[in-house]
Amino acid sequence: MREFYDSFNGNKLKLVFGSLLKTVEAFFELLIPLYIAKIINEGIVFSSSDVLYKCIFVMIIFYLMGYICSVVSQYFSSLVASNVGRNIRNKIFSKVINFKQSEMDTFDSKFINNSLTNDVKQLESGINMIMRIGLRAPIVAIGSIIMAFTINFKLSLIFVVSTIIIFLFLYFFLSYLSKRYIDIQNKKDRLNLVVSEMVDGSRVIRGFNEQEKEISKGIKAGSKIFENSLFVEYLQSLFNPITYLIINISLLIILYISNDLVSSSVLLNGDVVALINYLTQTFVAISALVNLVFILSKFLASFSRIKTLFDYEVIVDEERREEVASIKSLEFSNVSFSYRNNNVLSDIDFKVNQGTTLGIIGLTGSGKSTLAKLILNLYKCKNGSIFINSLDINNISTNSLKNNISLVLQKPNLYSGTIRDNFMICNPNISEEDINKYLKISMAYDFVYSFDKGLDTVLLENGKNLSGGQKQRLAIAIALSRNPSLLILDDSSCALDLKTEYDLYSNLNREDIGDIRIIISQRISTMKMCDKILVIDNGKVSGFGTYSSLIKKNKIFKEIVLSQEEGVSND
């Protein structure tokens, strides 16, 4: 947990100073009952106005000093908590942003989102309250008992017994609540996932008339959180009454015993008042600790979840020194890949050179998209090697790969902001003239300028205010703006009509975009525009060659062609 402790860097002095001020405030508070006792025993009983005024003056000074210490301490505790929370968020974000694809698969995105938001907020609250209460409350509680011992040893034993009982109760209560809060947080992750799926897949849900089923799923996930939260609240509601019961029993015992002691002049009236004040201070301190227990329960649950992220060892690649200015050739040599012990690709062999447009086709789930991710080096091959310009891809620097390769997915990611902003993210120095050029190539120019603000049109997250075809065309234009040496289009034109798709690929060929182009598609019409076609079946190469050669020799490719031709003729 070095990352957690490092988050306090630059705040340790503030942490110590703020905690120290709370300690000073506690000492001022512990002295007040002694002066109250002195006022009663000397100032009132013996009518000594000199003692009375002097004690009142000292008490006012103590109250003012305690107030100043409290205000300054709370300022520092809030400052430290917010700074540490910011540092933890930055560390989580820095770690997650560098995760490889295989590492991202380890953590659910909702888990990471909750860690960055709710869990860090719980840590901030915990740090804040620990600084305010964590040191002060025990000092007041223990100090009150010690001060009570200076007044009467016998009565002070009651303080000790009641405090021990409450602290034992606190310990077992905290241990149990912490487990319950972890369970609630996990259920919140599940609810967030369900809600996200419902929102993202709302069209599909309505299309298949599955609204009632999805509503039932959401209600079920929410009900589990409600039931667990209700049970925890029920337990919390029991704590204060139990604490009050123990304190009040202690108070009754003290009053009963002190009655005889006062009658026999062993104890003065002021001393009894001081003892009751110390008992009250002990009770207030313990009540504060009770509230701290509830906060710490959430703190520990959130700490445990964040610790999971911090403790995860990021895969560190060996130093990659090879650089490539452009991609002249791409070769797969006996490549195999498994995902969570499931074979996805086996013995993939092919090679394409500069100036080639490679089409990849195959049935759903055959491994086409996985092959594209291997080219980006998002995953490591289980066996075999991938070569770019005859260099092993594992020896080529990550920046060199990213600078030369552009990938457009079937469901592209667009950022909230203007259309221009989305281009600037990929190419900060791009001109408006170049943006328009790539919009025309991708057949996106007309619809972009049909908006009143053109390039300054604001997009919602993931382009939710665009149609599927508009998002794909815009994403292709953005990918082209990087001037990639290798362009991979992974079913990224499936939402386009055949004419628009044909015009788009014709533009790519005419403008000679990319040294190598890889087009993954299910459409035979798209494959006809490719120089070479790779047929994938159940993770293996079924055929590799031109359209004319495959239609004659490859059974699977021929079946795909016939099935689509029959579908067109039936229409």
Side-chain angles (χ1 to χ4, degrees), residues 159-169:
F159 282 70
V160 176
V161 173
S162 60
T163 303
I164 290 174
I165 292 172
I166 291 174
F167 269 104
L168 286 174
F169 185 47

Side-chain angles (χ1 to χ4, degrees), residues 223-484:
S223 297
K224 289 181 179 179
I225 297 175
F226 171 76
E227 291 167 2
N228 280 268
S229 299
L230 188 64
F231 181 69
V232 169
E233 292 296 329
Y234 170 72
L235 291 178
Q236 290 181 356
S237 68
L238 292 176
F239 198 92
N240 275 336
I242 293 173
T243 306
Y244 273 105
L245 179 63
I246 296 171
I247 295 296
N248 285 326
I249 290 174
S250 302
L251 179 60
L252 287 173
I253 295 172
I254 288 174
L255 291 174
Y256 178 78
I257 297 174
S258 63
N259 182 53
D260 293 335
L261 295 176
V262 171
S263 299
S264 58
S265 299
V266 175
L267 201 65
L268 299 176
N269 288 325
D271 295 335
V272 175
V273 172
L275 283 171
I276 293 173
N277 270 326
Y278 282 126
L279 181 64
T280 304
Q281 285 184 352
T282 304
F283 165 69
V284 171
I286 291 174
S287 297
L289 284 174
V290 169
N291 291 326
L292 185 60
V293 165
F294 299 143
I295 294 171
L296 281 179
S297 298
K298 298 177 182 179
F299 174 90
L300 292 175
S302 296
F303 179 83
S304 174
R305 288 158 56 85
I306 289 177
K307 185 175 182 294
T308 303
L309 277 172
F310 280 159
D311 288 348
Y312 185 80
E313 293 292 335
V314 179
I315 299 172
V316 179
D317 289 332
E318 296 180 2
E319 187 176 359
R320 300 168 172 228
R321 297 183 177 180
E322 300 290 349
E323 301 287 340
V324 291
S326 61
I327 298 177
K328 306 299 182 184
S329 65
L330 171 67
E331 179 181 1
F332 273 58
S333 178
N334 298 317
V335 171
S336 297
F337 174 74
S338 297
Y339 182 75
R340 294 181 179 175
N341 298 322
N342 294 322
N343 288 329
V344 180
L345 296 173
S346 300
D347 302 322
I348 303 296
D349 263 308
F350 70 89
K351 182 177 181 180
V352 289
N353 295 312
Q354 184 179 15
T356 302
T357 298
L358 173 67
I360 302 178
I361 194 170
L363 300 177
T364 302
S366 59
K368 304 185 297 297
S369 295
T370 302
L371 191 145
K373 291 175 181 177
L374 290 177
I375 297 173
L376 284 166
N377 208 221
L378 298 178
Y379 294 104
K380 299 288 185 182
C381 305
K382 180 181 178 183
N383 295 309
S385 300
I386 301 174
F387 298 98
I388 289 178
N389 299 352
S390 300
L391 299 173
D392 191 315
I393 196 171
N394 294 317
N395 296 329
I396 300 174
S397 71
T398 302
N399 285 337
S400 190
L401 288 174
K402 290 179 179 178
N403 291 335
N404 280 283
I405 302 174
S406 282
L407 168 67
V408 184
L409 300 172
Q410 179 182 358
K411 294 182 179 179
N413 292 320
L414 297 173
Y415 297 97
S416 56
T418 66
I419 294 174
R420 190 191 306 272
D421 290 338
N422 276 264
F423 276 94
M424 299 289 283
I425 290 172
C426 290
N427 188 349
N429 300 317
I430 192 169
S431 64
E432 184 168 333
E433 181 182 352
D434 286 335
I435 292 176
N436 291 333
K437 170 188 171 183
Y438 296 121
L439 287 174
K440 289 176 181 177
I441 293 173
S442 66
M443 303 299 293
Y445 182 87
D446 289 342
F447 87 77
V448 167
Y449 281 95
S450 68
F451 301 134
D452 293 337
K453 295 184 178 180
L455 293 176
D456 294 317
T457 301
V458 176
L459 301 180
L460 300 179
E461 182 183 3
N462 280 330
K464 291 181 180 178
N465 51 337
L466 299 178
S467 68
Q470 289 174 334
K471 283 192 285 186
Q472 288 185 341
R473 281 178 281 168
L474 184 57
I476 291 172
I478 293 170
L480 297 179
S481 71
R482 299 180 68 244
N483 194 24

Side-chain angles (χ1 to χ4, degrees), residues 186-200:
N186 291 335
K187 285 180 169 56
K188 285 182 179 179
D189 287 346
R190 172 60 184 165
L191 179 61
N192 285 337
L193 178 63
V194 170
V195 172
S196 178
E197 288 176 346
M198 288 175 64
V199 173
D200 293 341

